[in-house]
Every structure is written in C-alpha cells, then in structure tokens.
Amino acid sequence: MLTPKLIAALFALTCTAAALADEVKIGVVAGFTGPISNTVVEAADMMRGYIAMVNDQGGINGNKIVLATRDDSYDPKKTPGMVEEIIEQDNVAMLVNSVGTGNTVALIKSGVLAKHGMPLLGVFSGSDAIRGPGSENIFHTRASYHDEIMKIASVVSTLGLKKVAVLYQDDGLGVSVNDSITKAAAEYKFDPFLRVPYKPGETDFTAQARQIVDAHPQAIFLMAVPEAAVPFMKAYDAPRGASQIYALSFVSAKDLFDAAGDARARGIAISQVMPNPNAVALPLAKDFQAFLKTPYAHGAKSSPRLFEFYLNIRLAMAALKMAGPKPTPEKVTAALKSMHDYKLGGYTIDFSDTKRRGSSFLDIGVVGYGGRLSF
C-alpha cells in the first residue's frame, strides 16, 4: 500500500531523476573581456536566457542544455587554446556565436576544429579569410564583409559619390576590408583616397576623426567594430551632411544614437545581413519579439545584432534536436549539413556537404529619429 510517506519519497526520487537528466553542453569562446566585451556579453546573456527557457520547456530530446564559456579577451593568440580547453574539459557538442576575424583565423590555422571534428555555428565576422580552405567546420549564417562592402559601393555609385575615406581596424579584419574596398573601387569607380587605421582596443579617436574631417570626403566607410565606431562618432565633429557615412552590419544604430546624438547619428547607413527584427511578418522575427517580452530576456532590446545571435542559438537548438538524444560533434555536423533549404521560422538556411554559407541576405538600413533603423 502506498502511504503518504512512500508517495513523498517516490516523488522526491522522481524529481531527483529529472534533475539528473543528461546534460548537453554547447560552447562559446569569445572576448568576454577586452575591446568587444559589450557585444559578447550581450550575446551570452541572451543565449543563457533562451537556453533557460528551452530547459524549462523540457530541454532538447529530454536533455538539459548547458552553456559553457571561455574568455579569450579578443586575443587571437588565446583563442585556439581556449577552444581546445572547452572541447576537452567540457565535452561540448558544438560551438556557437564566435566573435572576431583574427581569432577565427588563428583557430583555423591551429587545426583544433578539424582535429576534434567540432562544428562552429555562427561567427560574428564576415571576413573572407575565415571562409576559405580549412574552414570546413565553420557554418556561417551571415553574408561576407565583401558582400556588404559591394552593397555599400553600389549605393555610393548610384549617388555619384567619388571621394571616399576609410576608417579600418589595423589587423586581419582591416586587411580583409581593405582588399574588398580596393575591388569595389575598381568596379564602381570611386576613389578611396584616404585610409585611416586604428588599433584594436583604441578608445580615443580624436586624431582619426580630425584627419578624416579635414580631408572633406564625400563618403566615409566606417569599417570599425562597434566598440570603435561609437567613440569615433563621438569625436566626429563635421557639420551634418558633410559626408555620407556607411558602417558594417555589426554596428548598432541605437548605440550610435545614444553616444553621438541625433545630429551626428541620423542618416548613417548601415549594411544589414539579417532581416529587420521588428518586421513581424517573418515568423522568426515575431518569435524574437515575443522572447524579448519574457523574463528570460532580462530586458534586452531589439536590434539586428542581437537578432543574429538569436537566430544562431535557435539554429543550434534545431541542430541538437536533429542530432538525437546523444548528440556528438559528428552528429551535429551531419545535422547542419542536412539543412538544405531549411526554414527556421520562415527564414531560409542552406547548408550542404560542401556549402557552409547558410545565408546571403543583404540590405541597407538608415538611422532615423531616436536611433531607429529603417530598412
């Protein structure tokens, strides 16, 4: 006979068994400290919240999902070792939402991903340097910087702008960007007559801003990471409309507006590699907006940048589900490679045995009143 005491004991045992359900770990190795920490922390906070929601709804295939992290401080020298550590110590099934061109180049050259057969889904970089031979374990969900720059160049050409100044990061990112600008200039017939570098982690852009303002360019290609683009615009003191400014997709319109104010931020054009996160006709965007209204989002605000990280964690959960109850890096890789014309909330992702570029979406957004991005 089941007494109340026995029933309570059985209930406790059941709860304990549920609590001890298998864990599946996914990993993030990125600069939680250093020059891009704001972007990385924002992404990680959103991922933790989304994973908590998934776990509260039963997990994936009955497994509890756990986010393991390592901080490489945005230092390419540290990235391969951090990735090796998280693979061997945490036994992750996949990596997701990596950040940094130089870091990813170093990771590819190290051979760590290939050695462990480890898939990396979603890199917050569009450099062609991380899309060539040796990058077969990386699954991209954004168009390349080259594609973004060619999109910007086509607009510049249409507007008849010829004199272009370039602000670029003095590292692998800058090399990739400058190569693309040279090709774009030849095709669209403009002159990148001034190229001004900055060092990763630099915070005072007074000299760079003055050099560019004094050169009187018709257009400025702001090819800088968010943590550099924002202080540059704070230092940029040309009259409104003196130059048309273009930035790459990872720059936040709201951050520019908050830092530089309406007069400087309004009218800046930002290339986009994700659909408008506020256009709820797309089910994925509608889901994103619904998630932001839940306690799991911890007050996060909608932005194309956060939407990209959200898309990647959603896609990671889908790949884990397809990989079965005991996912391994090999099974997750096979799941990702099977995503031919795959619809994630109405958004098409297309991978294959040889294709690692899941999306080629491109658009141009313009910063408007209140920092709102319109496209």
Side-chain angles (χ1 to χ4, degrees):
M1 179 177 178
L2 292 176
T3 65
K5 187 175 181 179
L6 182 56
I7 291 173
L10 288 171
F11 178 75
L13 182 62
T14 301
C15 290
T16 300
L20 294 175
D22 287 344
E23 289 185 348
V24 172
K25 292 184 179 181
I26 62 176
V28 175
V29 177
F32 286 86
T33 59
I36 59 165
S37 58
N38 290 343
T39 298
V40 172
V41 170
E42 177 190 45
D45 286 346
M46 185 280 300
M47 285 189 283
R48 290 189 186 100
Y50 186 78
I51 289 170
M53 186 177 74
V54 168
N55 287 334
D56 285 348
Q57 294 172 353
I60 301 294
N61 296 327
N63 295 319
K64 178 183 178 181
I65 308 303
V66 175
L67 187 70
T69 64
R70 293 292 189 280
D71 176 18
D72 65 14
S73 304
Y74 196 52
D75 182 350
K77 297 185 188 70
K78 295 181 180 180
T79 305
M82 293 287 98
V83 170
E84 185 94 56
E85 182 179 297
I86 204 171
I87 291 172
E88 294 184 345
Q89 294 184 6
D90 291 83
N91 194 31
V92 295
M94 66 185 303
L95 300 171
V96 65
N97 278 330
S98 178
V99 181
T101 298
N103 308 73
T104 310
V105 168
L107 181 58
I108 292 169
K109 288 181 177 178
S110 74
V112 170
L113 294 180
K115 171 184 172 183
H116 295 278
M118 180 60 59
L120 167 54
L121 171 64
V123 179
F124 198 55
S125 167
S127 172
D128 284 329
I130 63 173
R131 294 165 183 255
S135 65
E136 291 79 10
N137 292 85
I138 301 176
F139 293 79
H140 299 280
T141 55
R142 57 156 44 226
S144 70
Y145 292 147
H146 180 77
D147 294 332
E148 291 188 55
I149 289 166
M150 295 303 283
K151 180 75 172 179
I152 291 170
S154 71
V155 174
V156 167
S157 175
T158 300
L159 295 175
L161 306 178
K162 298 297 184 183
K163 293 180 61 181
V164 174
V166 180
L167 180 74
Y168 68 93
Q169 186 160 290
D170 192 11
D171 63 359
L173 169 61
V175 171
S176 175
V177 160
N178 275 308
D179 285 347
S180 293
I181 288 173
T182 298
K183 294 172 183 175
E187 180 170 342
Y188 288 100
K189 311 303 180 189
F190 63 86
D191 179 18
F193 73 104
L194 178 65
R195 306 198 195 206
V196 179
Y198 71 90
K199 296 294 183 183
E202 199 164 338
T203 57
D204 183 356
F205 285 80
T206 305
Q208 289 94 335
R210 177 48 48 200
Q211 185 178 357
I212 290 174
V213 169
D214 289 346
H216 303 290
Q218 293 174 298
I220 299 171
F221 283 15
L222 189 56
M223 305 287 101
V225 298
E227 288 77 4
V230 169
F232 173 84
M233 286 308 304
K234 288 179 71 175
Y236 178 75
D237 60 356
R240 182 171 175 175
S243 304
Q244 176 61 54
I245 300 175
Y246 298 88
L248 291 174
S249 57
F250 45 44
V251 175
S252 162
K254 189 64 165 58
D255 288 350
L256 289 174
F257 179 84
D258 289 344
D262 179 81
R264 294 179 183 176
R266 194 187 297 189
I268 294 177
I270 305 175
S271 56
Q272 301 297 312
V273 295
M274 292 286 141
N276 191 329
N278 301 310
V280 293
L282 178 68
L284 184 66
K286 187 175 181 179
D287 292 346
F288 177 58
Q289 295 300 328
F291 168 73
L292 292 179
K293 293 183 175 74
T294 69
Y296 297 101
H298 303 295
K301 303 299 182 183
S302 178
S303 71
R305 182 171 69 190
L306 195 63
F307 188 41
E308 179 176 347
F309 292 126
Y310 173 82
L311 180 152
N312 289 337
I313 194 64
R314 279 280 304 268
L315 195 61
M317 297 300 104
L320 288 177
K321 186 172 183 179
M322 294 169 66
K326 294 189 180 298
T328 63
E330 292 76 18
K331 290 179 181 179
V332 173
T333 298
L336 289 168
K337 285 166 37 174
S338 73
M339 291 179 172
H340 308 300
D341 197 28
Y342 181 81
K343 296 296 188 291
L344 182 72
Y347 186 69
T348 301
I349 295 292
D350 193 7
F351 295 126
S352 72
D353 283 340
T354 56
K355 184 181 179 184
R356 296 295 187 268
R357 176 171 160 167
S359 172
S360 57
F361 178 91
L362 282 168
D363 205 342
I364 296 285
V366 178
V367 182
Y369 179 76
R372 184 177 180 83
L373 189 67
S374 299
F375 66 104

